[in-house]
Amino acid sequence: MYKQTVGKIFVILVALFVTVNAQEDSTSDFLERSQTILDTIANQLEIADISDEQLQEIRRELDRVRNQSTEYIDEIQPDLRSASEELEALGPAPAEGEETEPENIATQRTDINIRLNEIEGRITEAELIATRTSRLLSELAELRRTRFSRTLFSSGPSPLSMRVWRQAWPQIKGASTAGRQAFNNVITADPLQAQMRDSIIAIALAAIIAIFFAWPLHSWLLNKFGRDPRVQKPGFMEAMRAMLVVGAVRALLPTAAAALVYIVAIYSTEPTAAIRDIARSLFLGFVFFAWVVAFFRASLSPTSSAWRVLPLPDNFAGGMWHFIILLTLVYALDIVLSEVFSIYGARLEITILRDYLIALIVIILLTILLLRQDMWRPAEPASAKPRWRASRIIGAIILLLFTVVGAFGYVALMKYVATQVLLTGGLFLLLLILHRLGREFIAQMVSGDNWLTSHIRDYLHFDIESTNRLEFWAGVTYDIIL
């Protein structure tokens, strides 16, 4: 622990010192300081228990040194060219046996050669620094890959073993008792009632603002830029704009209310640091839940298929919507539990149980999602139904197998797989939205009826066939880039 702390402080101080004084460094100072930094980093990488935070800071520092070395070489290249041109202007030195050149010319030639050798030496040293920096970056990347693989594939205590539960249960009871006691101390404190009375005016003003300003603004934004019930078949750009507005507006109001409660609760009482941190985690978990749910509801639009930004069947959108709610609730709970266990110094057993529980719930939700026939049947092409159904069943079985893997102690691997499946699915949905957004934009720019597009088509003498061909190839190019 001592080595980690000292090492981290040293790296951060070096980084700040180099950043602040980079412009004031002389040439020798810069080269010497860069070598010192690289020597220090090389020693840091030899520490077996160096933390991930230190490795990230070292990576940033190495990037800074490499960039500064490149900039330094670029800065003195003009000096090198200038010295070379001056030497070339003097012409070749007299060969042995030829008449010697004037003394002043010989002196200038000597000075230029000395300056040229000095510049070339500095460039060579800077290039060596850049090369060493790249090598240290490779070593750091290899260290992180090795550590990641070792963490992911190493077996720990089984979350189902009685030993883990016997050691975890007293910690859970202790954290619960300590949290309840801290909360009771805050509630029963003598200054609380007076502080709450002093906060009544602030709460009343906030309520008035929310009622007479925030809610009308909320309604106006939805009516002005949201979904128009009179429009039966909105265009994709109109649906996309409505999705962004509806998602943001529906998330802002509960976020503002939660922020009001959080601020009043913190500043009208005298909570301990632990209670303050738990309250902040509750607030962050609620905000995370509100924004994710609001935007997924706006994009999936389970009750209005016409305004859905993705061409999904109604039953699939409705099932996915319930899945998103449960999943977001699980991760919001994980945010709170992580903070609580961190405050009360949870040991390894608590972390294992929490990670296994979160990953187990996520995998169960994913398995249910894959096996629900009512969600997938309309989306399955008739020719691909057996294969697609078999693929979903195989995927569900593989996910369930990872719960067994986690039960044998590979909890990190189980949680990693569950998280990556979700991230991959989210990335796929994002790519679908970007695909439709880009294709719609290309169609409007190439085949739209606006004045600019029509003028460009007339200027280029494009007929319908040429326009369609241009739209097709522009769409293909966009998809390849995407």
Side-chain angles (χ1 to χ4, degrees):
M1 179 63 69
Y2 175 76
K3 288 183 178 180
Q4 288 181 340
T5 304
V6 173
K8 185 173 182 180
I9 293 174
F10 184 85
V11 171
I12 292 175
L13 289 177
V14 169
L16 291 175
F17 189 83
V18 171
T19 303
V20 172
N21 297 283
Q23 298 300 324
E24 300 177 0
D25 285 345
S26 64
T27 298
S28 59
D29 289 340
F30 166 73
L31 296 175
E32 291 175 4
R33 182 170 287 107
S34 297
Q35 292 288 4
T36 302
I37 292 174
L38 296 183
D39 291 339
T40 304
I41 290 175
N43 294 330
Q44 289 289 315
L45 294 179
E46 297 296 328
I47 300 176
D49 56 349
I50 186 172
S51 66
D52 289 336
E53 291 78 10
Q54 286 179 264
L55 292 179
Q56 293 173 6
E57 180 60 36
I58 288 175
R59 171 59 189 263
R60 287 190 288 268
E61 181 62 23
L62 287 174
D63 286 336
R64 278 193 290 266
V65 172
R66 182 170 59 180
N67 293 335
Q68 290 173 359
S69 300
T70 304
E71 293 173 359
Y72 174 75
I73 292 174
D74 293 338
E75 288 176 0
I76 63 176
Q77 282 289 350
D79 295 337
L80 179 65
R81 288 193 297 269
S82 176
S84 300
E85 291 172 357
E86 292 177 12
L87 189 63
E88 185 179 353
L90 290 179
E96 186 177 355
E98 294 182 355
E99 183 180 357
T100 59
E101 60 185 354
E103 183 179 353
N104 61 334
I105 299 297
T107 302
Q108 291 183 30
R109 187 186 302 279
T110 302
D111 293 340
I112 293 173
N113 278 317
I114 294 174
R115 181 155 52 94
L116 188 62
N117 292 333
E118 181 186 357
I119 295 174
E120 290 176 345
R122 284 186 279 157
I123 291 178
T124 301
E125 191 171 353
E127 289 174 345
L128 289 175
I129 290 174
T131 302
R132 188 183 179 192
T133 303
S134 299
R135 180 171 56 81
L136 288 173
L137 283 169
S138 299
E139 292 180 8
L140 186 144
E142 181 62 28
L143 176 62
R144 297 188 71 179
R145 282 194 297 268
T146 304
R147 177 177 294 188
F148 173 76
S149 299
R150 185 171 60 247
T151 303
L152 199 61
F153 296 103
S154 61
S155 175
S158 171
L160 303 183
S161 67
M162 292 304 300
R163 181 179 66 84
V164 171
W165 282 94
R166 281 196 301 266
Q167 294 181 358
W169 183 245
Q171 298 180 56
I172 296 175
K173 289 178 62 178
S176 175
T177 302
R180 187 167 58 252
Q181 184 63 39
F183 181 77
N184 291 334
N185 292 339
V186 172
I187 295 298
T188 58
D190 292 336
L192 179 63
Q193 300 298 326
Q195 292 172 351
M196 289 297 292
R197 284 195 299 270
D198 294 338
S199 303
I200 289 178
I201 297 178
I203 296 174
L205 288 176
I208 292 173
I209 292 175
I211 294 174
F212 293 100
F213 178 74
W215 185 257
L217 179 62
H218 170 272
S219 302
W220 180 80
L221 287 172
L222 289 180
N223 293 331
K224 181 69 175 179
F225 303 103
R227 295 162 180 161
D228 189 348
R230 296 170 297 180
V231 179
Q232 299 298 321
K233 292 183 178 181
F236 176 76
M237 299 300 290
E238 189 177 3
M240 189 73 182
R241 183 200 64 193
M243 184 269 289
L244 295 174
V245 172
V246 170
V249 171
R250 285 179 175 171
L252 279 174
L253 200 60
T255 299
L260 176 64
V261 173
Y262 172 72
I263 293 172
V264 171
I266 292 298
Y267 289 99
S268 64
T269 62
E270 295 180 355
T272 62
I275 294 295
R276 188 182 299 109
D277 292 339
I278 293 175
R280 184 176 64 249
S281 68
L282 286 169
F283 171 69
L284 294 177
F286 178 81
V287 170
F288 169 77
F289 178 82
W291 281 85
V292 173
V293 168
F295 269 99
F296 268 99
R297 181 185 177 188
S299 59
L300 292 173
S301 187
T303 59
S304 179
S305 59
W307 290 90
R308 199 169 294 149
V309 295
L310 291 176
L312 301 175
D314 290 342
N315 54 347
F316 183 86
M320 182 63 73
W321 161 239
H322 294 121
F323 169 76
I324 293 297
I325 292 178
L326 293 174
L327 191 64
T328 308
L329 186 62
V330 169
Y331 276 100
L333 179 63
D334 188 40
I335 293 174
V336 179
L337 291 178
S338 299
E339 186 64 32
V340 172
F341 292 149
S342 174
I343 290 172
Y344 293 103
R347 295 170 59 185
L348 175 64
E349 292 78 15
I350 292 289
T351 303
I352 290 174
L353 291 178
R354 188 201 73 199
D355 290 347
Y356 184 76
L357 179 62
I358 295 297
L360 180 64
I361 295 175
V362 171
I363 287 180
I364 290 175
L365 289 175
L366 288 171
T367 303
I368 295 174
L369 181 68
L370 289 173
L371 296 180
R372 281 188 60 177
Q373 294 292 333
D374 59 322
M375 284 183 55
W376 297 97
R377 188 176 294 114
E380 296 174 352
S383 59
K385 279 186 178 181
R387 287 178 297 175
W388 176 236
R389 189 180 301 115
S391 299
R392 290 190 286 110
I393 293 174
I394 293 174
I397 292 174
I398 292 175
L399 286 175
L400 290 176
L401 285 177
F402 276 101
T403 63
V404 180
V405 170
F408 280 97
Y410 294 92
V411 178
L413 177 60
M414 175 184 171
K415 186 177 182 180
Y416 176 78
V417 170
T419 303
Q420 294 305 312
V421 169
L422 290 177
L423 292 177
T424 303
L427 178 62
F428 181 71
L429 290 176
L430 176 63
L431 290 176
L432 284 179
I433 293 176
L434 292 177
H435 166 75
R436 288 203 63 191
L437 183 63
R439 284 301 186 102
E440 186 71 19
F441 177 78
I442 291 172
Q444 292 294 327
M445 292 299 297
V446 176
S447 305
D449 295 330
N450 57 79
W451 173 85
L452 178 60
T453 304
S454 300
H455 181 73
I456 293 175
R457 283 201 303 266
D458 293 340
Y459 179 78
L460 297 176
H461 303 289
F462 271 18
D463 55 13
I464 296 178
E465 182 180 355
S466 300
T467 302
N468 293 336
R469 190 182 301 113
L470 176 62
E471 182 179 347
F472 170 78
W473 286 111
V476 169
T477 304
Y478 173 74
D479 287 343
I480 293 174
I481 295 174
L482 186 62

